[in-house]
Amino acid sequence: MQGSKTSAYTHDHVVRADGSVAFACSQDGKRWPWSLLHPHHPGAIQALSYWVSVESAMALGKWDPDKWSALTWTRWECGDPDVGRIAHGTYERSTIEGKESFSIYLYDADDRLICRLDGRGVVFRTRDFEKWRQPDKEAAPKALSDTFAFADDRLLGIAPGERPFLAPLNGDTCIALIDRANGMPPGHPWLDGSGDHVNSAHLAEAARQFASLVNEGQALRVVWAEMAFRHYVELGSPFEISRIDGPDPGEIAMQVTQAGHDCTSIRYRVETAEPA
């Protein structure tokens, strides 16, 4: 995804002496509709991870908005479920598992910790991104969401106006489809993206729908997550989500595959929640 030319979701950046960045978050729900979701919603966390990390790096003078970037890994842990809307936070460069990373701390207006988000990515500094991507986009088999057989909205745990991404379960696997019609504006009420591929917020929401599906529509809150991105998932091309064995039996571990590629590994820890 390319960087924003100007700061948008975050503002009032303060670069501190230790190199961290303090920032305030936009409260404009019309411009940022995902910000109106519960702040622990996986799609909202993944959406803001892009804007916060890019805009904070720009505040530090360490980002070229003309280059494309890719998130390769993210992990977050949520705080108390009764927190309010995201109001402000801090961004810092960090080293996690020996790798250069970033860490973001998000707070509500009462300074209660909403979540800690860690991540890392790569910037395509010399590669012609669009030319490099074209063969994969052309080779991926295509489908349309308006003729795709999705699972029941209740089982997917989606709110009125939201769009389903997943077909019914077949054992521990289901087929999914995200195209422009069901995953981009104006077809989806709060998701957006680069338009080049299925973005991390799309995959976070697909994984949330999968967690709901395997729990037969039980209302859930994701309290911890880890996502590793290895290969792009193409828009408008079916992909598979499979439940796999994870390191913790209390987690829902998932593997996303498309056209023979292992694309994304996702782990969610969930707890039951009151229905919205």
Side-chain angles (χ1 to χ4, degrees), residues 122-175:
V122 62
V123 177
F124 300 105
R125 299 191 182 279
T126 59
R127 178 175 288 167
D128 184 332
F129 181 83
E130 281 128 323
K131 183 178 179 181
W132 170 65
R133 290 277 297 118
Q134 197 60 35
D136 276 352
K137 288 196 281 188
E138 292 175 350
K142 302 297 187 292
L144 296 173
S145 60
D146 60 359
T147 58
F148 191 83
F150 292 105
D152 183 81
D153 288 0
R154 182 191 66 80
L155 294 177
L156 296 174
I158 61 176
E162 294 183 334
R163 302 295 297 274
F165 294 156
L166 277 57
L169 273 176
N170 181 9
D172 289 329
T173 299
C174 69
I175 305 299

Side-chain angles (χ1 to χ4, degrees), residues 171-232:
D172 289 329
T173 299
C174 69
I175 305 299
L177 176 65
I178 300 175
D179 63 6
R180 290 180 180 274
N182 72 347
M184 299 285 284
H188 197 284
W190 54 263
L191 272 169
D192 203 340
S194 66
D196 176 82
H197 54 272
V198 173
N199 291 110
S200 68
H202 292 110
L203 291 169
E205 168 59 4
R208 189 207 60 76
Q209 291 186 17
F210 186 85
S212 179
L213 197 58
V214 299
N215 283 278
E216 300 182 332
Q218 169 69 53
L220 303 171
R221 184 174 73 98
V222 179
V223 298
W224 181 93
E226 183 173 39
M227 304 177 71
F229 307 94
R230 300 183 181 88
H231 193 278
Y232 284 109

Side-chain angles (χ1 to χ4, degrees), residues 9-12 16 21-27 48 52 84-91 104-115:
Y9 175 65
T10 60
H11 58 93
D12 294 343
R16 296 169 170 168
V21 179
F23 56 86
C25 297
S26 173
Q27 302 301 296
L48 69 85
V52 170
R85 191 176 178 191
I86 298 170
H88 64 98
T90 59
Y91 165 97
I104 298 168
Y105 300 83
L106 300 164
Y107 302 90
D108 68 10
D110 294 322
D111 296 330
R112 293 176 295 183
L113 180 65
I114 291 172
C115 77

Side-chain angles (χ1 to χ4, degrees), residues 58-102:
M58 290 174 70
L60 289 168
K62 298 182 180 295
W63 193 269
D64 183 347
D66 294 320
K67 300 298 183 184
W68 283 76
S69 66
L71 188 68
T72 58
W73 172 82
T74 187
R75 178 181 65 194
W76 74 84
E77 183 168 8
C78 297
D80 191 290
D82 295 326
V83 291
R85 191 176 178 191
I86 298 170
H88 64 98
T90 59
Y91 165 97
E92 62 186 42
R93 303 301 301 177
S94 55
T95 300
I96 300 173
E97 298 172 351
K99 299 178 181 179
E100 184 178 345
S101 309
F102 61 81

